């Protein structure tokens, strides 16, 4: 019985309509019903719709046309098929480990299309990517400069800069504060001098990554503008033109009820001015901007789907206990950096025409109350064996989750496009 006093969230239904197709009772992803896909893969499963990824890429590419190249940030979803899809669309790949380097190469990236960032690059990782070939190393600290000097081979590099507080943006603030990422803007001249003293490092650019999950177009544009200003400063300091201005990733997607999507039209409207400010500095006239999104490209295309293993009621709250939970999808449980736990969009993908008016709290099988995927979300009346799907799950899903916790099996994973299911092996 629905309790009118409970305020439920239901934003998954609007999002499912917008991103995928609903035919009769069934949500269709990549040309097949979720029910059919799960019958082939088993439950639980991550399902990624290739066409939705391509659509996100093409939309962003159209906005950035002639201004910035797109590098897919592999850590958002390092599945080979996913990286390959974005390479097919024309993206480069941004990596943060030797493992991601191997994944990018296996997916078909050319070495010169790969950028290597990350605050903890070990000597062996740097040596291996330089040996195999790499587009650029994004240097994050003095130790890295010393390692590159010790390796001694010629390498193109950019300096990652941690901007001053005035320009920090986004939900998870990665700029402005004390951080392990990059050189503080205040210390930029010392960093430039340290790199200049190493003959085998060719300083070709800068990298500024202001924050993640940015939904405010004005904040994003502001951080890009600041990066261009910093690039001009670096170019003048070294007295040479720069080739790369990496503006970072961080483009957000709507997860929670009331979230407004990033206004890409507003971003598009700001591009001519940003491009002009780049061209107005002679030492940046030949530079190319780079944007390296992960979440924006991969997130909306993914669903995490599980059968309900049990339904129970405790003190008036109805619990749907799934076969997998935060062990597969930490982010949906609110334990991957969220301050306030709000519900990811959730639907019943094989009951799309049933009214979602039954408050349900969706939990996983782990022995901890942290393993809650949605509280008081509106779903139809469901029973054990029915399916529940968590949307917006294509980025920071499986590989950002504590899969070994409680020793349950890993979920299946598949990229689905034009009715074809391509299983992903990790
Ligand atoms: C994680 C990361 C990204 C991607 O961030 P999104 O918020 O997913 O766009 C880009 N660049 C670097 C250096 C990163 O660490």
């Amino acid at each position: 019985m629905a309790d009118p006093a409970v305020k439920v969230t239901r934003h998954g239904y609007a999002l499912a309509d917008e991103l995928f197709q609903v035919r009769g009772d069934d949500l269709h992803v990549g040309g097949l019903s979720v029910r059919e896909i799960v019958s082939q893969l088993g439950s639980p499963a991550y399902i990624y719709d290739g066409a939705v990824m391509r659509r996100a890429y093409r939309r962003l590419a159209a906005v950035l046309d002639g201004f910035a190249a797109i590098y897919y940030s592999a850590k958002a979803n390092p599945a080979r098929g996913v990286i390959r899809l974005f390479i097919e669309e024309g993206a480069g790949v941004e990596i943060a480990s030797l493992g991601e380097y191997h994944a990018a190469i296996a997916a078909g990236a050319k070495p010169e299309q790969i950028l290597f960032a990350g605050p903890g690059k070990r000597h062996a990782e740097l040596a291996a990517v330089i040996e195999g070939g790499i587009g650029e190393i994004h240097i994050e600290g003095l130790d890295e400069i010393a390692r590159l000097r010790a390796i001694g081979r010629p390498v193109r590099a950019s300096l990652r800069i941690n901007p001053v507080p005035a320009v920090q943006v986004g939900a998870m603030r990665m700029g402005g504060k004390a951080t392990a990422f990059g050189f503080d803007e205040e210390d930029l001249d010392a960093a430039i001098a340290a790199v200049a003293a190493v003959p085998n490092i060719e300083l070709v650019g800068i990298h500024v990554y202001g924050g993640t999950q940015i939904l405010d177009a004005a904040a994003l544009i502001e951080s890009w503008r600041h990066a261009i200003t910093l690039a001009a400063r670096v170019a003048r300091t070294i007295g040479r033109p720069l080739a790369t201005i990496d503006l970072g990733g961080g483009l957000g997607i709507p997860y929670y009820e009331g979230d407004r999507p990033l206004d890409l039209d507003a971003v598009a409207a700001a591009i001519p001015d940003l491009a002009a400010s780049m061209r107005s500095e002679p030492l940046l006239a030949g530079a190319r901007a780079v944007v390296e999104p992960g979440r924006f490209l991969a997130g909306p295309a993914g669903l995490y789907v599980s059968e309900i293993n049990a339904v129970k009621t405790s003190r008036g709250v109805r619990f749907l206990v799934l076969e997998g939970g935060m062990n597969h999808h930490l982010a949906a449980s609110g334990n991957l950096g969220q301050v306030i736990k709000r519900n990811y969009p959730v639907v019943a993908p094989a009951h799309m025409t049933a009214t979602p008016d039954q408050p349900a709290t969706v939990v996983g099988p782990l022995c901890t109350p942290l393993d809650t995927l949605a509280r008081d979300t509106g779903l139809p009346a469901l029973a054990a064996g029915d399916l529940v799907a968590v949307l917006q799950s294509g980025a920071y899903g499986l590989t950002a989750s504590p899969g070994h916790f409680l020793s349950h099996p890993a979920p299946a994973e598949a990229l689905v496009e034009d009715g074809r299911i391509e299983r992903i092996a990790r």
Side-chain angles (χ1 to χ4, degrees), residues 223-235:
S223 95
W224 290 0
R225 194 181 305 286
H226 185 67
I228 293 169
T229 309
L230 282 174
R233 183 177 146 198
V234 171

Side-chain angles (χ1 to χ4, degrees), residues 73 75 94 117 160 207 209 212 249-251 292-295 396:
S73 182
K75 81 169 181 290
E94 183 267 331
R160 179 159 174 185
H207 177 193
Y209 177 48
T212 190
L251 287 76
E292 46 180 30
R295 188 190 311 275
Y396 306 111

Side-chain angles (χ1 to χ4, degrees), residues 24-38:
D25 273 337
D26 280 302
L27 181 62
H28 283 242
V29 171
L32 294 171
S33 71
V34 170
R35 191 202 315 239
E36 164 68 19
I37 298 166
V38 173

